[in-house]
Amino acid sequence: MCWKGMPYSPSRLSSCRLAAVKAHRAPARLLATRVRASGRSHAEPSSESEMHHEVGRRELLIAAAATLPAMSSMSAFPAVAAEAGDLNESASGLKWKDVQEGTGPSPVKGAVIKCHYTGRLTNGTVFDSSYNRRQPLSFTIGVGQVIKGWDMGILGAEDIPAMKEGGKRLLVIPPDLGYGARGAGGVIPPNATLEFDVELLPRK
């Protein structure tokens, strides 16, 4: 995923969007979640012109996603209200709620996993959804390819249980575990708290 709505890490985002995204590079870690919007393999583009073409396609996808209303049809999740009383909260400030417990194994650091997700702002504005693209995000967990809130919310932490394959979890990610004071891509404003519906798909 090379931005604009996926949980990629700032370093990965920066390599994808080149000079145009330097101002947002640090927070780009959020959507390391979607590795390839084009559906191609994870191999690097063969030329700089091809890279620009791929980035352009991704940005169009995100821009389109940002105009869509936050509706349940964009996600396999039932409607979940991100209310404080319904959520667990870690010492890091990350909040979560298991919508559906998985029955498979939990991922380990360094494993390549696949997730479906919908990301939105706290006002309900959806900025990206793999459900809408019908293509899950594949990435390596626990190595900084995605924003820290994703790594922690899926892999687990001292006070956060790891997800299990087949599980669905609502993550409410504070700015310091997302894109911070810089925001990202003109889609995520500075100091934004982000909500993600994340579904950890079984490995085949």
Side-chain angles (χ1 to χ4, degrees), residues 15 26 47 65 78-79 82 87-88 91 114 120 140 146 150 156 161 164 178 184 194:
S15 66
S47 68
L87 302 173
N88 303 292
K114 289 185 178 181
R120 61 185 170 271
T140 302
V146 293
W150 264 61
K164 295 181 179 179
L194 305 171

Side-chain angles (χ1 to χ4, degrees), residues 73-155:
S73 62
M74 292 190 68
S75 169
F77 281 52
V80 177
E83 297 178 359
D86 295 333
L87 302 173
N88 303 292
E89 183 172 1
S90 74
S92 66
L94 187 149
K95 298 177 182 179
W96 81 95
K97 177 179 181 179
D98 283 319
V99 178
Q100 176 178 301
E101 288 277 358
T103 57
S106 295
V108 296
K109 182 177 180 179
V112 176
I113 64 172
K114 289 185 178 181
C115 292
H116 264 309
Y117 67 94
T118 295
R120 61 185 170 271
L121 305 178
T122 54
N123 65 6
T125 299
V126 173
F127 53 80
D128 192 30
S129 177
S130 66
Y131 291 105
N132 192 49
R133 292 189 301 276
R134 299 180 181 179
Q135 181 180 355
L137 174 72
S138 177
F139 65 100
T140 302
I141 188 71
V143 297
Q145 285 189 355
V146 293
I147 54 172
K148 191 172 183 180
W150 264 61
D151 274 340
M152 293 174 62
I154 297 173
L155 189 59

Side-chain angles (χ1 to χ4, degrees), residues 181-198:
R182 296 188 180 184
V187 175
I188 296 177
N191 298 311
T193 295
L194 305 171
E195 298 178 2
F196 283 95
D197 299 323
V198 180

